[in-house]
Amino acid sequence: MGLNNLVKNNKKKIRVGRGIGSGKGKTSSRGHKGQKSRSGVAIKSFEGGQMPLYRRLPKRGFKSQFKKDIAVLNLDKIQNFIDKKDNAIKGSLDLNTLKEKKLIGKKYSKLKILGNGEIKKSLEISAHYASKQALNKIEKAGGKFNLLKK
C-alpha cells in the first residue's frame, strides 16, 4: 500500500467562468469592472498610495566596476602551506601553483604578499604586489622575489 492511497483528495477543481450553473460564472469572482477585474493586472509593491517599502528604505552601498580580484597572502599562511606535507610547495610559488594546489580560489587574477608572520624556507616567490616587510623577510630566509607586471 503506497502513500498515494492514504491521501484522499476528492475535491474537484473549480473551473472559473464556465456558466451560471457552476457558481463561478459571469464575472468569475472578480467583481464588476475596475483594474483588478481585467487580465494582465499586476499591482506589485503598490500600497494604496502609502509610500512603498522599497522607497522608504535607504539605498545602501554600491559595487565597484573596477574591483580587482587580488589574492592576499601573509607569510605565515605560506609557511603553513609548506608545513603541510600533502601540499609540498617545492622551489617556487606563484598564482598558478596556488590555484593548482587549490590553496586559493579560481577567481583571483593577481597575488599580493604581506609580511605578517615568519617564513623559514627559501622560496622563489612571484607576485604582482608585496609589502616592504614581506620582501625583507623573504630575503632574510634566503629566498627571491619576482615582481610581476601589473
Side-chain angles (χ1 to χ4, degrees), residues 129-140:
Y129 309 95
S131 67
K132 288 178 185 171
Q133 197 178 9
L135 290 172
N136 292 337
K137 288 181 181 179
I138 292 166
E139 285 166 12
K140 255 186 205 170

Side-chain angles (χ1 to χ4, degrees), residues 8 26 44 83 103 109 111 117 121 138:
K8 293 214 184 313
K26 197 184 169 202
K44 289 188 179 79
D83 292 343
L103 300 172
S109 56
L111 180 61
K121 191 176 179 187
I138 292 166

Side-chain angles (χ1 to χ4, degrees), residues 90-147:
K90 299 284 184 275
S92 64
L93 177 102
D94 62 344
L95 192 67
N96 292 334
T97 329
L98 292 168
K99 282 182 185 177
E100 282 168 24
K101 306 267 186 198
K102 296 192 175 161
L103 300 172
I104 60 169
K106 289 186 224 170
K107 70 174 185 175
Y108 297 111
S109 56
K110 292 185 179 181
L111 180 61
K112 184 174 191 171
I113 308 293
L114 298 179
N116 193 13
E118 291 296 323
I119 191 161
K120 295 162 196 154
K121 191 176 179 187
S122 67
L123 280 176
E124 190 175 325
I125 298 174
S126 302
H128 298 85
Y129 309 95
S131 67
K132 288 178 185 171
Q133 197 178 9
L135 290 172
N136 292 337
K137 288 181 181 179
I138 292 166
E139 285 166 12
K140 255 186 205 170
K144 276 169 65 179
F145 182 81
N146 297 331
L147 187 69

Side-chain angles (χ1 to χ4, degrees), residues 62-70 110 129:
F62 85 112
K63 270 196 174 158
S64 171
Q65 67 188 63
F66 304 109
K67 185 181 178 221
K68 295 178 180 84
D69 291 321
I70 301 172
K110 292 185 179 181
Y129 309 95

